[in-house]
Amino acid sequence: MTTPEPADRVLSRASLAEGSPTRWFDELYTAAARGEAEVPWTRGAPNADLADWVEPGEGRRALVVGSALGDDSELLAAAGWAVTGFDVAPAAVEAARARFPESSVDYVVADLLNPPAEWHQAFDLVVEIINIQAMPRDFRAAAITSLAGFLAPGGTMLVSEVAEENVAPEPGPPWPFSRAEIESVAQDGVKLLSLETIRDGARYWAEFTR
């Protein structure tokens, strides 16, 4: 008996075939809300590597890219950050707001490929964990340029993606990152502070500043 292909790959393939690199995210969250699919990157808890890193925010502004169901955003808010969590999928934003109705996090719908102009160099902390890897490489340069543009002078950006050098190729998503792609976040005044592999080499963890 053939194992059914995961919903994220079926939906992403159809979305990409029609020229949209992001439409499938909302389709996947909507299907998951109906109990018809699973969102493979949601765990019901904050990212463990971010939890190990987290430091007091003291009211500074943080942006969580691809905020999904809100776990990372809530972790940072609890540490004193003034958090904006955004996702391209309205269904994900709705679910996060429903999970945390008393939250101080500003959950918003936005597109990394066309972000709000007022976010330019507006955040003291920017967190991007396993989101851009869900985009094919044709769209990554634009996504990375947007990402770099969020970081305020003196701020910190954390980027973690699946590491191409230590992960066997798969049909995707995800499509693993090369070391050069991670390093390319260092543009327009953004500087790479550190880059390492974690989780037995399966992921990159990089820290940048401006």
Side-chain angles (χ1 to χ4, degrees), residues 8 24-25 28-29 39-43 45-50 64-68 72 86-87 112 126-135 140 143 147 158-163 167 173-177 182 198-199 202-206:
D8 57 319
W24 65 275
F25 287 105
L28 181 62
Y29 281 106
V39 180
W41 52 84
T42 58
R43 299 286 185 272
N47 176 272
D49 307 306
L50 180 61
V64 176
V65 179
S67 50
D72 290 349
F86 83 92
D87 205 289
L112 180 59
V126 178
V127 177
E128 155 50 23
I129 298 178
I130 61 170
N131 289 288
I132 299 177
Q133 66 177 29
M135 295 183 184
R140 285 191 184 167
L147 182 69
L158 305 174
V159 180
S160 184
E161 313 285 353
V162 171
V167 176
W175 293 276
F177 261 59
I182 289 284
I198 59 175
R199 301 195 182 192
R203 288 190 188 174
Y204 292 118
W205 182 268

Side-chain angles (χ1 to χ4, degrees), residues 9-76:
R9 293 185 177 172
V10 173
L11 293 170
S12 65
R13 186 165 56 243
S15 181
L16 291 167
E18 296 179 14
S20 173
T22 59
R23 187 193 69 204
W24 65 275
F25 287 105
D26 192 54
E27 293 173 343
L28 181 62
Y29 281 106
T30 300
R34 296 194 300 258
E36 298 171 359
E38 293 185 1
V39 180
W41 52 84
T42 58
R43 299 286 185 272
N47 176 272
D49 307 306
L50 180 61
D52 287 342
W53 177 90
V54 69
E55 60 183 38
E58 300 175 335
R60 291 173 292 171
R61 296 189 71 190
L63 182 69
V64 176
V65 179
S67 50
L69 302 185
D71 294 293
D72 290 349
S73 299
E74 296 298 323
L75 171 73
L76 294 175

Side-chain angles (χ1 to χ4, degrees), residues 123-126 151-157 193 208-210:
F123 295 94
D124 304 296
L125 175 64
V126 178
L151 189 62
T156 297
M157 178 178 292
L193 293 178
F208 300 84
T209 191
R210 183 189 296 280

